[in-house]
């Protein structure tokens, strides 16, 4: 059992949980995730580690209430326990000095940018950050991420904050002005990552994405999370979750994420 | 007097539930079958048993009506008899060597083992002898059959044993893989409780390699480590359309049902999306398990196998059960492509007819595609059950651990790996094999670990 020791509402449907999990906190590295079950009847869902504190023995998870299980998780309060958390999982991100890096976070994907930006900054990289949200109210972690950024941009779909439009608008502009970047790292909706890949590809800039497909065991056993990467099938849980954006079949990933949409409707009508 | 088979649940009574198919022997049936045993002076059956159970002796005890004593006799050699009695391929092991097998009437050793073992389920657990444990700690990685039997043996020797399991429930393939109707979960739970009663601690939600490395375990003062992580990596066909929605690996399908209880969705929150007609690809026990699970979920099921029934690696008994349950078999057929509908769900599978050619290195006739014989079957779910590779996680995260090109861990005759103090056994060493051979390996590993620790410390 894993006890919740902190909870915050970051936006109307985005929650932060701080959880006592000493061993995961001890081993966590940027880019890794956990799989958890809020209770014994739950499904197993993957969530990327947004933060951890080895001294406090805690991990921080940030998630959007999108499905039944994230809604269930959101109902838990400080003092409650999460039945099962397995982690840290997946290959960690290679953290080193690249030079100039563009970090892009979209929606709740911004949470996953946090450990990366801290680690990249520690290695003295120059960091240009672009955060995107549908609307101002849904923009999370602005100040925490801004303080590690050398340049910082915000877009909202509706123009309620920052620039009206998409993260890709700013990315395009910046790259046309100055293509001296050694890495673009993007985390967010599949469509966003796909569009970013299309933009960076002609510039030949290494572009990494972190994928979040459906998983069950998350230890390489079930193959639910298979991703087509350069015509080869890989498992996001053990071969990822980070992949080279140029090589990922995003259309297939998007389709695979829709596998349980009918079941999702059914369970939501059944009531969280 | 011929060989006795335990009664089975009627096929029509199996279809909407997961109740165990075999009903097991009654006292009378067990005694009657036990009476057939010739009590050979040089019992060949014992040599066929990977853990060398004293088979004639326990059968003699059943004959005398001493069911409890029979169980104790089995337990001298086998820690998990209720499981072995159900899932061992006795026809290829002990029963194959029974002198009466010459007339095709071998003693039904499996059913007798199960009968003895079920004593505990009916009348409560026998006293387990929890020894005073020494402070010497041994880590076991994986709580499947190899891990459980190794842990049980080591605990009996007095070691302080901790099993590390990545899933939220113990049992490995016994829990996530083999379905309820073949191996009821209460039996698995009972056997796991027994292992715990010997003093073994099971730590769930712990993935060795990531949550702790092998080195971390040594640093936490474990004197030896047994790696028994099994053959968990699913193989796919490598054909077009394999990532279409509703194409599942056998592991995913079975895990969603057996472990996550997806058939009780939404009370259990894990979903499964199946259409009306399910194609299962493969001819082994796992393929049959998938087919029979799908049937119980109300689906039409077609099992597609590239050779003929004769070459199927599955147990004959289970093939018979599947036929009784109206699973359709399509032999000499190989899928070449999976087709999707506009929602990117499976709508059909294209196959090619095969013929059998010369013998291959497995000693079976090699299937060869018949050119131009392609045809399409309309199905809306595909389950790929063509085998599993060794789980790559620990070798990948532990570079000093030497592996073969196929991913299995290299061990010497003492089951020792290339890292001092690290032993390995079960499917991670042999590739996909039976529950009992994994248990046998676990037991042998316990012996070698004990010897290693005594020499070293």
């Amino acid at each position: 059992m894993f006890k919740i020791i902190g909870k915050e509402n970051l936006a109307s449907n985005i929650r932060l949980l701080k959880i006592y999990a000493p061993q995961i906190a001890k081993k966590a590295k940027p880019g890794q995730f956990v799989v958890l079950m809020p209770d014994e009847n739950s499904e197993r869902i993957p969530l990327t580690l947004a933060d951890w504190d080895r001294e406090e023995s805690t991990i921080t998870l940030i998630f959007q209430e999108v499905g039944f299980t994230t809604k269930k998780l959101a109902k838990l309060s400080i003092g409650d326990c999460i039945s099962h958390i397995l982690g840290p999982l997946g290959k960690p991100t290679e953290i080193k000095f690249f030079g100039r890096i563009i970090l892009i976070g979209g929606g709740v994907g911004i949470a996953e940018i946090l450990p990366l930006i801290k680690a990249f900054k520690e290695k003295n990289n120059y960091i240009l950050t672009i955060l995107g949200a549908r609307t101002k109210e849904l923009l999370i972690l602005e100040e925490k991420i801004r303080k590690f950024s050398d340049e910082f941009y915000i877009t909202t779909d509706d123009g309620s904050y920052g620039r009206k439009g998409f993260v890709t608008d700013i990315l395009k502009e910046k790259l046309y002005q100055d293509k001296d970047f050694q890495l673009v790292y993007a985390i967010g909706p599949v469509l966003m990552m796909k569009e970013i890949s299309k933009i960076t590809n002609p510039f030949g800039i290494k572009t990494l994405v972190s994928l979040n497909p459906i998983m069950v065991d998350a230890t390489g056993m079930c193959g639910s999370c298979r991703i087509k990467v350069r015509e080869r099938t890989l498992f996001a849980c053990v071969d990822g979750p980070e992949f080279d954006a140029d090589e990922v079949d995003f259309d297939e990933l998007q389709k695979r994420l829709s596998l349980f949409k009918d079941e999702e409707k059914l369970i939501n009508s059944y009531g969280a | 007097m011929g060989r006795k088979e335990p009664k089975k649940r009627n096929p029509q009574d199996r279809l909407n539930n997961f109740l165990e198919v075999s009903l097991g022997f009654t006292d009378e049936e067990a005694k009657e079958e036990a009476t057939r045993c010739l009590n050979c002076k040089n019992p060949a059956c014992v040599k066929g048993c990977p853990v060398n159970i004293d088979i004639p002796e326990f059968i003699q005890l059943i004959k005398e009506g001493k069911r409890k004593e029979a169980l104790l006799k089995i337990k001298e050699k086998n820690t998990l008899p209720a499981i072995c009695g159900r899932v061992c391929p006795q026809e290829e092991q002990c029963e194959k060597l029974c002198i009466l097998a010459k007339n095709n009437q071998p003693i039904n050793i499996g059913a007798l083992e199960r009968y003895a073992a079920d004593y505990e389920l009916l009348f409560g657990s026998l006293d387990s002898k929890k020894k005073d444990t020494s402070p010497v700690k041994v880590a076991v990685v994986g709580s499947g059959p190899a891990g459980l039997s190794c842990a049980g043996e080591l605990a009996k020797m007095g070691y302080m044993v901790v099993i590390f399991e990545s899933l939220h429930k113990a049992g490995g393939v016994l829990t996530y893989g083999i379905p309820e109707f073949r191996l009821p979960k209460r039996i698995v739970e009972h056997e796991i409780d027994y292992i715990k009663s010997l003093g073994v601690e099971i730590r769930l939600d712990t993935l060795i390699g990531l949550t702790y490395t092998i080195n971390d375990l040594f640093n936490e003062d474990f004197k030896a480590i047994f790696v028994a992580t099994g053959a968990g990596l699913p193989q796919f066909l490598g054909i077009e359309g394999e990532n279409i929605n509703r194409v599942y690996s056998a592991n995913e399908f079975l895990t969603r049902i057996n472990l996550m209880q997806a058939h009780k969705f939404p009370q259990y929150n894990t979903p499964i999306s199946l259409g009306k007609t399910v194609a299962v690809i493969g001819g082994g026990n796992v393929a049959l398990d998938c087919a029979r699970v799908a049937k119980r979920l109300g689906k039409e099921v077609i099992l597609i196998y590239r050779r003929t029934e004769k070459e199927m690696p599955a147990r004959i008994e289970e093939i018979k059960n599947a036929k009784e349950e109206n699973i359709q078999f399509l032999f000499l057929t190989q899928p070449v492509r999976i087709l999707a509908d506009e929602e990117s769900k499976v709508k059909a599978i294209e196959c090619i007819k095969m013929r059998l050619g010369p013998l291959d290195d497995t000693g079976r006739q090699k299937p060869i595609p018949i050119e131009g014989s392609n045809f399409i079957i309309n199905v809306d779910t595909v389950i790929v059950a063509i085998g599993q590779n060794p789980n790559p996680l620990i070798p990948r995260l532990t570079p000093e651990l030497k592996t073969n090109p196929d991913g299995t861990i290299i061990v010497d005759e003492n089951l020792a790996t290339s890292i001092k103090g690290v032993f390995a056994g079960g499917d991670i060493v042999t590739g996909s094999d039976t529950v009992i051979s994994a248990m046998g390996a676990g037991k042998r590993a316990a012996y070698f670990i004990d010897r290693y620790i005594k020499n070293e410390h």
Side-chain angles (χ1 to χ4, degrees), chain A:
Chain A
M1 298 290 265
F2 298 82
K3 197 169 184 175
I4 296 171
I5 60 160
K7 184 180 181 182
E8 279 176 53
N9 297 331
L10 301 185
S12 57
N13 64 351
I14 300 177
R15 314 274 169 253
L16 176 150
L17 292 180
K18 197 182 250 193
I19 301 150
Y20 183 74
Q23 191 58 27
I24 302 175
K26 198 169 157 189
K27 304 302 272 192
K29 293 197 180 90
Q32 289 188 305
F33 65 100
V34 296
V35 153
L36 62 80
M37 294 172 73
D39 62 45
E40 294 295 333
N41 290 354
S42 292
E43 63 178 326
R44 296 168 67 93
I45 59 160
L47 288 174
T48 301
L49 287 159
D51 203 1
W52 51 90
D53 185 325
R54 297 206 165 109
E55 267 148 44
E56 267 189 349
S57 295
T58 59
I59 58 170
T60 300
L61 302 175
I62 295 174
F63 58 95
Q64 191 165 9
E65 291 185 45
V66 280
F68 186 82
T69 305
T70 43
K71 283 179 188 141
K72 207 178 208 182
L73 192 59
K75 286 215 165 86
L76 299 177
S77 315
I78 293 175
D80 290 343
C81 282
I82 294 169
S83 290
H84 301 280
I85 306 181
L86 175 68
L89 300 170
K91 289 183 177 166
T93 301
E94 188 191 9
I95 301 297
K96 62 171 190 185
F97 177 76
F98 283 89
R100 288 158 58 84
I101 300 178
I102 301 179
L103 287 180
I104 308 172
V108 75
I110 292 172
E112 305 176 30
I113 292 293
L114 189 60
L116 293 176
I117 196 166
K118 283 186 189 169
F120 281 136
K121 198 67 226 171
E122 224 167 73
K123 297 284 178 193
N124 296 315
N125 288 285
Y126 180 91
I127 295 171
L128 185 158
T129 308
I130 313 170
L131 302 185
R134 235 173 43 235
T135 181
K136 183 180 181 190
E137 200 274 325
L138 295 175
L139 181 76
I140 57 168
L141 303 174
E142 180 187 345
E143 285 319 310
K144 280 194 172 144
I145 288 178
R146 185 195 295 270
K147 75 173 185 211
F148 295 103
S149 307
D150 297 286
E151 285 180 67
F152 186 77
Y153 303 92
I154 286 171
T155 65
T156 49
D157 299 6
D158 62 359
S160 55
Y161 193 54
R163 167 98 76 93
K164 179 175 161 63
F166 302 105
V167 291
T168 43
D169 301 338
I170 295 192
L171 175 67
K172 251 186 262 177
E173 255 176 53
K174 290 291 152 194
L175 287 182
Y176 282 117
Q177 284 166 16
D178 172 6
K179 56 183 186 310
D180 180 29
F181 286 95
Q182 285 68 49
L183 176 68
V184 174
Y185 203 118
I187 309 174
V190 174
L191 189 62
M192 180 198 99
M193 295 190 285
K194 181 185 166 184
E195 291 305 315
I196 287 169
S197 166
K198 277 193 208 159
I199 292 166
T200 59
N201 182 285
F203 289 95
I205 301 170
K206 182 183 175 72
T207 303
L208 297 173
V209 288
S210 180
L211 307 182
N212 204 358
I214 298 168
M215 294 187 186
V216 186
D217 64 289
T219 63
M221 194 188 85
C222 82
S224 177
C225 66
R226 57 197 192 273
I227 306 277
K228 208 182 280 156
V229 180
R230 221 196 311 159
E231 293 310 308
R232 275 199 313 155
T233 292
L234 296 179
F235 292 176
C237 66
V238 290
D239 301 316
E242 178 184 298
F243 294 96
D244 208 320
D246 289 342
E247 300 179 348
V248 172
D249 184 339
F250 288 105
D251 295 338
E252 184 186 275
L253 171 62
Q254 186 73 52
K255 284 176 191 159
R256 286 189 65 76
L257 284 167
S258 73
L259 172 58
F260 296 119
K261 65 175 197 290
D262 294 344
E263 287 74 13
E264 193 64 43
K265 270 181 220 152
L266 176 69
I267 197 166
N268 281 321
S269 65
Y270 166 79

Side-chain angles (χ1 to χ4, degrees), chain B residues 266-341:
Chain B
Q267 284 82 358
Y268 285 80
N269 306 156
T270 300
I272 183 116
S273 174
L274 303 167
K276 292 194 174 91
T277 311
V278 174
V280 177
I281 319 298
N285 286 317
V286 175
L288 283 181
D289 283 346
C290 292
R292 297 173 66 200
V293 167
K295 194 74 193 180
R296 281 162 175 75
L297 301 176
K299 310 301 167 193
E300 283 300 307
V301 184
I302 308 166
L303 188 130
I304 299 175
Y305 181 52
R306 61 192 181 140
R307 293 182 163 100
T308 71
E309 182 171 348
K310 204 173 71 175
E311 288 84 19
M312 278 179 82
R315 295 187 67 189
I316 294 163
E317 176 69 19
E318 303 303 343
I319 298 173
K320 210 165 112 192
N321 286 334
K323 283 185 175 167
E324 288 170 3
E325 291 163 15
N326 278 327
I327 310 285
Q328 297 175 55
F329 289 78
L330 205 52
F331 294 115
L332 291 169
T333 303
Q334 170 88 342
V336 292
R337 187 162 65 113
I338 300 167
L339 295 95
D341 65 12

